[in-house]
């Protein structure tokens, strides 16, 4: 199975900060990577797919980049509602696998 | 906007079968892919599998011998069955719609773009 490693696992930031989360794959997954946001007690929400395509309705402060084995999710200016856990998921090879998550906390 | 709702027992005994239903509303189950994911307490998301309304399925290899996903287009529902459960199967189970995109090389699936609220299943005697 393809392993996805997210870094950092925890991140402390303030409103207005630029935040970057990295997801590294154990092998080439081309651009088949999706990012989700999950708030406590809620289902995840898809933010980014195909590494850089922003799902309709997702705020423009969210962006994604990368291909191959290294990917990033960037929040250009962190808002109060963005404090959550973020997961990457690869869909290039079965079984689809997810990273361990990155929790973004308030500094 | 399509809505999904999971339903089923919240408690299952070890070695028995976990059965969940996902009811799709405000859209037809036809023409889409539908999937299941789960999340054990304090853990990351885990993909279980998906089904197309035609019956095409794909499962996580680690669960393949125990899992089955089916669909009933007349009821706009799809189902998850997981046999021989253990305490390791205790989790929140989510159903969702699998997004489909188009590229020059063909269509692709890009993850669950609409989710149910999730249902907690505990495996315990």
């Amino acid at each position: 199975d393809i392993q996805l490693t997210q870094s950092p696992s925890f991140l402390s930031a303030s409103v207005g900060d630029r935040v970057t989360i990295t997801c590294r794959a154990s092998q080439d997954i081309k651009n088949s990577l999706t990012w989700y946001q999950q708030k406590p007690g809620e289902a995840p929400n898809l933010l980014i797919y195909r590494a850089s395509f922003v799902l309709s309705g997702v705020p423009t402060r969210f962006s994604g980049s990368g291909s191959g084995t290294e990917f990033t999710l960037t929040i250009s200016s962190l808002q109060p509602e963005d404090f959550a856990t973020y997961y990457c998921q690869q869909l290039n090879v079965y079984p689809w696998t997810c990273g361990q998550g990155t929790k973004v906390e308030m500094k | 906007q399509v809505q999904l709702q999971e339903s089923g027992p919240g408690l299952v005994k070890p070695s028995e079968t976990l059965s969940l239903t996902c009811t799709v509303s405000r859209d037809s189950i036809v023409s889409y892919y539908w999937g299941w994911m789960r999340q054990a307490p304090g853990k990351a998301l885990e993909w279980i599998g998906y089904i197309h309304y035609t019956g095409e399925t794909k499962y996580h290899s680690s669960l393949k011998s125990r899992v089955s996903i089916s669909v009933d287009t007349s009821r706009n529902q799809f189902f998850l069955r997981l046999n021989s459960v253990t305490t390791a199967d205790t989790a929140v189970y989510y159903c969702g719609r699998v997004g489909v995109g188009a590229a020059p090389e063909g269509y692709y699936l890009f993850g669950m773009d609409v989710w149910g609220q999730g249902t907690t299943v505990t495996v315990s005697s």
Side-chain angles (χ1 to χ4, degrees):
Chain A
D1 298 0
I2 292 178
Q3 294 197 358
L4 298 180
T5 303
Q6 292 182 231
S7 59
S9 295
F10 298 92
L11 188 160
S12 293
S14 302
V15 172
D17 284 353
R18 181 181 181 87
V19 168
T20 298
I21 299 168
T22 297
C23 178
R24 289 187 174 88
S26 59
Q27 65 187 71
D28 185 353
I29 57 170
K30 301 180 175 57
N31 64 346
S32 298
L33 190 96
T34 287
W35 289 97
Y36 298 98
Q37 175 196 67
Q38 186 179 33
K39 297 178 182 178
E42 297 184 7
N45 286 308
L46 192 153
L47 301 174
I48 307 283
Y49 64 98
R50 291 289 259 197
S52 62
F53 291 9
V54 181
L55 191 69
S56 176
V58 171
T60 56
R61 62 182 179 273
F62 290 94
S63 64
S65 65
S67 66
T69 62
E70 187 154 335
F71 303 84
T72 59
L73 171 70
T74 300
I75 309 171
S76 60
S77 178
L78 196 67
Q79 297 301 300
E81 59 268 31
D82 301 336
F83 292 100
T85 299
Y86 294 84
Y87 293 95
C88 56
Q89 181 190 30
Q90 69 80 21
L91 302 98
N92 190 59
V93 174
Y94 294 108
W96 295 348
T97 50
C98 295
Q100 83 279 13
T102 295
K103 186 173 184 179
V104 177
E105 302 174 316
M106 190 178 300
K107 185 182 287 183
Chain B
Q1 166 72 314
V2 60
Q3 293 185 336
L4 296 92
Q5 177 68 57
E6 305 89 349
S7 58
L11 181 64
V12 182
K13 289 182 168 54
S15 80
E16 295 191 345
T17 296
L18 179 161
S19 295
L20 296 176
T21 297
C22 185
T23 301
V24 179
S25 57
R26 300 190 180 185
D27 202 353
S28 173
I29 204 167
V30 171
S31 299
Y32 289 105
Y33 287 80
W34 306 92
W36 290 94
M37 293 185 70
R38 68 181 182 179
Q39 187 170 36
K43 300 296 185 182
L45 298 167
E46 181 182 29
W47 175 71
I48 297 172
Y50 66 69
I51 188 165
H52 190 242
Y53 77 100
T54 57
E56 171 197 351
T57 55
K58 202 73 175 179
Y59 302 127
H60 196 300
S61 48
S62 70
L63 300 172
K64 198 170 185 178
S65 62
R66 299 195 293 131
V67 70
S68 173
I69 300 175
S70 58
V71 64
D72 185 338
T73 56
S74 66
R75 296 185 178 182
N76 234 37
Q77 294 177 325
F78 62 104
F79 312 95
L80 173 70
R81 284 177 59 89
L82 185 64
N83 302 324
S84 305
V85 297
T86 70
T87 55
D89 296 310
T90 293
V92 177
Y93 285 76
Y94 297 101
C95 66
R97 188 181 71 181
V98 181
V100 181
E105 64 270 22
Y107 77 91
Y108 58 89
L109 306 180
F110 62 78
M112 287 187 9
D113 63 348
V114 182
W115 295 65
Q117 65 185 30
T119 187
T120 299
V121 178
T122 301
V123 178
S124 175
S125 54

